[in-house]
Amino acid sequence: VAKGSLGSWSFFLVIRKPAPHPAVSKVHPLFMMMLSTSSTTTVAACRHLASSASRSVTTVPMIIDGKKVQSKATTFFDVHNPATGELIARTPQSTAEELRMASDSCAEAYKSWKTTPPSTRARVMHKLEGAIRDSTEAIAKVLTEEQGKTIADAKGDIFRGLEVVEISCNVPAMIQGETLPGVAKGVDVHSYRLPLGVCAGICPFNFPAMIPLWMFPPAVTAGNTFLMKPSERVPLSAMMLAELAN
């Protein structure tokens, strides 16, 4: 149905008896779901699209060094509200140079973040946990608009990710090393769990909040830095989470 490109469609349940089929002696009433648009609906939909086109559409920015940066890309992915077909944002296909800028920024931040005490990193995650709880309604509204889930499902999406943020607050206890003395004469064994460096994640479209929250909170609390690419189809929820984390 061209992805509802004409706006809202009307649904009618039509009950009718089909003409007798030569191979069937008795036919029960057939229930058919039919899509129908009247000329009035079509005109209204076209006006809706024209109105949407006249409004300014947000271009999704990058966040580098904690600042919003507009891409120099010339190719964009359109983000539509699945319920109305309205164009709500445009996602830039960022350039190779911008990818290098982002990764270099992560590498530079890693130099100091890896030496930040684990307890301090955990407190940052505690603050993010509280910020997400306080902003659940707002995030759910954006998630529903860009991805089509109901508000209840959107809140579930967020909550499942929030559970990982909660667990990430306990990362300092998970990254303790081990010591095994006397494994041989004059030999002790020591193990350490250290940050790896710059981590990266590419998010799919089906869970715009949950999957980003599966990725960066554990990695960052463990002392790494993180370069995340939200789905170009549903980038707005992940951008809200990035702003809360920032």
Side-chain angles (χ1 to χ4, degrees):
V1 188
K3 298 183 180 179
S5 59
L6 292 180
S8 301
W9 292 81
S10 301
F11 291 85
F12 297 95
L13 184 64
V14 179
I15 305 174
R16 68 178 179 87
K17 286 187 177 181
H21 192 280
V24 182
S25 58
K26 292 183 179 180
V27 180
H28 291 285
L30 175 67
F31 292 79
M32 296 184 63
M33 182 67 76
M34 300 182 64
L35 281 171
S36 170
T37 56
S38 66
S39 58
T40 302
T41 305
T42 305
V43 171
C46 290
R47 288 175 178 170
H48 170 76
L49 289 176
S51 175
S52 299
S54 65
R55 292 195 296 269
S56 59
V57 177
T58 301
T59 298
V60 181
M62 302 174 293
I63 297 181
I64 301 177
D65 288 334
K67 302 173 183 177
K68 291 183 179 181
V69 179
Q70 290 296 333
S71 174
K72 296 179 181 178
T74 56
T75 304
F76 297 85
F77 300 95
D78 290 342
V79 181
H80 293 273
N81 183 332
T84 64
E86 179 184 0
L87 179 64
I88 58 175
R90 302 171 74 225
T91 308
Q93 185 174 334
S94 300
T95 65
E97 178 58 32
E98 289 165 346
L99 176 59
R100 282 191 290 270
M101 286 173 53
S103 59
D104 289 346
S105 171
C106 290
E108 184 64 30
Y110 175 69
K111 294 177 182 178
S112 58
W113 184 246
K114 67 179 179 180
T115 61
T116 302
S119 58
T120 301
R121 301 197 298 254
R123 280 194 291 272
V124 173
M125 203 52 53
H126 272 299
K127 292 180 180 179
L128 176 61
E129 176 193 350
I132 293 173
R133 288 188 186 279
D134 293 342
S135 305
T136 294
E137 290 285 346
I139 300 171
K141 182 178 179 181
V142 169
L143 196 156
T144 294
E145 186 177 27
E146 70 173 348
Q147 205 254 356
K149 282 186 171 77
T150 64
I151 291 292
D153 283 344
K155 289 180 179 179
D157 188 322
I158 297 163
F159 179 73
R160 294 307 178 195
L162 183 60
E163 289 180 317
V164 178
V165 179
E166 293 172 341
I167 292 172
S168 298
C169 296
N170 194 43
V171 162
M174 301 178 188
I175 59 176
Q176 297 180 31
E178 296 177 345
T179 300
L180 185 61
V183 294
K185 188 174 181 179
V187 177
D188 298 336
V189 174
H190 302 272
S191 66
Y192 302 91
R193 292 188 173 96
L194 302 173
L196 294 174
V198 178
C199 301
I202 299 174
C203 303
F205 75 95
N206 51 338
F207 290 95
M210 181 181 75
I211 294 181
L213 291 175
W214 281 1
M215 292 183 174
F216 75 85
V220 169
T221 315
N224 305 289
T225 52
F226 204 91
L227 175 59
M228 187 170 69
K229 177 204 168 292
S231 168
E232 69 280 0
R233 295 170 61 179
V234 287
L236 303 179
S237 301
M239 291 298 297
M240 286 191 70
L241 294 172
E243 290 182 41
L244 292 175
N246 191 38

